[in-house]
Amino acid sequence: MDTNQNTSNLKDFEVNIRIKLAFLWAAVTLCYLYGDYFELYLPGKTAGLVSGDNLLNSPMKLLSAAILLALPPLMVLFSIFLKPKINRLLHILFGIFFTLIMLLIAISSLTAWKSFYVFLALFESVITAIIVILAWKWPRKN
């Protein structure tokens, strides 16, 4: 049996740009969650959480982090519900913003214990860069 012949008969369809962007934002959100979860395994991390000796050690810092991390899931919703012009602009702006943040985090996390964080930050940067490229190339009306 020729597998090339069988696979060439598979029908494909074009995925709408909105769906592509929504799934990419969902994927990057999951990576953010995994990174934060895996960070709990760093030596001394949970002790710092209990003692309050950590980066998010005030109500304002926690609120700021919550707002920042609410943006990617919000972009999932925006991908579907906003008009194309504003949608495209927000994807480009937030895509660039999160790409730069994650590259900065990758550079500042170059230690053996945070190698997982560097990997995820670089992976997330690739995803958000793809978001920017897709939004930039948003299909035009014929």
Side-chain angles (χ1 to χ4, degrees):
M1 179 183 268
D2 184 9
T3 57
N4 285 339
Q5 184 179 4
N6 289 339
T7 57
S8 65
N9 291 332
L10 298 176
K11 184 176 180 176
D12 199 2
F13 61 94
E14 186 175 342
V15 178
N16 185 289
I17 184 70
R18 293 172 176 270
I19 295 170
K20 288 178 184 179
L21 291 169
F23 273 92
L24 286 166
W25 280 112
V28 82
T29 299
L30 289 172
C31 288
Y32 294 154
L33 290 170
Y34 287 133
D36 290 342
Y37 172 73
F38 292 153
E39 189 179 23
L40 295 174
Y41 288 90
L42 293 177
K45 182 67 177 183
T46 55
L49 293 174
V50 172
S51 71
D53 183 27
N54 59 68
L55 183 63
L56 302 175
N57 58 3
S58 75
M60 201 59 202
K61 289 179 183 177
L62 280 170
L63 177 59
S64 299
I67 292 168
L68 180 67
L69 291 177
L71 292 173
L74 189 60
M75 291 305 295
V76 173
L77 298 174
F78 286 172
S79 298
I80 303 302
F81 294 109
L82 290 181
K83 300 280 185 196
K85 190 173 182 178
I86 188 71
N87 213 338
R88 178 178 181 262
L89 177 65
L90 289 176
H91 281 83
I92 292 169
L93 292 176
F94 285 124
I96 291 170
F97 175 71
F98 280 99
T99 300
L100 294 174
I101 286 176
M102 295 320 297
L103 288 173
L104 180 64
I105 288 173
I107 291 167
S108 65
S109 299
L110 291 172
T111 66
W113 272 102
K114 289 191 175 182
S115 58
F116 72 93
Y117 217 62
V118 173
F119 167 76
L120 285 171
L122 292 174
F123 187 62
E124 293 154 4
S125 297
V126 169
I127 295 172
T128 52
I130 291 170
I131 288 169
V132 172
I133 292 166
L134 287 177
W136 188 266
K137 294 180 177 183
W138 193 289
R140 306 280 183 201
K141 289 181 184 179
N142 291 336

